[in-house]
Amino acid sequence: RFANVLLKENRCDLTVPLGSKIVADSLCSVLQHSPVGHTISNLLGKDAVLYELSCLISDPGSQRQVMHPDTPYLNDDPALYTCFIALQDIQIDMGPTTWLPGTNSMVAHK
């Protein structure tokens, strides 16, 4: 359900296999010991399903992406929730992710 990666030069999306111990341990740590995990648990409950775990890798010199939705708008029911966790310190000149609250509606996607 994710959209294609924009501006693919110096940027790629890497699906992370869930089978390795280091990935499972890291994911469990995030879900059990961080605000991210508490938020996901409160929103979705204990029976939530992890659909995809992936990394968006942007090399130095990558162009800044234009504003875009990560998923298409289908209806008022959330298709999925996306969580970004930076794996390095982020500086403003790196073009950090910008959030636009209230854009998860049909009006915002027209």
Side-chain angles (χ1 to χ4, degrees):
R1 309 248 328 235
F2 285 104
N4 291 330
V5 173
L6 302 174
L7 301 171
K8 292 182 182 185
E9 187 175 337
N10 298 325
R11 182 177 286 115
C12 68
D13 188 17
L14 173 68
T15 301
V16 178
L18 296 173
S20 77
K21 181 171 177 10
I22 192 167
V23 171
D25 289 349
S26 299
L27 183 58
C28 283
S29 179
V30 167
L31 292 175
Q32 293 174 356
H33 305 293
S34 74
V36 169
H38 297 289
T39 300
I40 290 171
S41 179
N42 288 337
L43 284 172
L44 304 177
K46 301 287 184 193
D47 295 327
V49 174
L50 177 62
Y51 179 78
E52 177 181 281
L53 181 63
S54 64
C55 297
L56 180 62
I57 302 166
S58 296
D59 293 330
S62 298
Q63 290 183 342
R64 182 179 177 97
Q65 294 190 56
V66 297
M67 291 289 178
H68 66 278
D70 284 339
T71 58
Y73 179 83
L74 301 174
N75 56 45
D76 286 336
D77 293 328
L80 55 89
Y81 291 93
T82 302
C83 174
F84 291 93
I85 300 173
L87 301 179
Q88 65 189 33
D89 291 337
I90 303 297
Q91 307 299 321
I92 195 68
D93 64 339
M94 297 170 76
T97 300
T98 301
W99 302 100
L100 299 174
T103 58
N104 57 329
S105 67
M106 182 172 45
V107 172
H109 283 254
K110 285 185 176 183

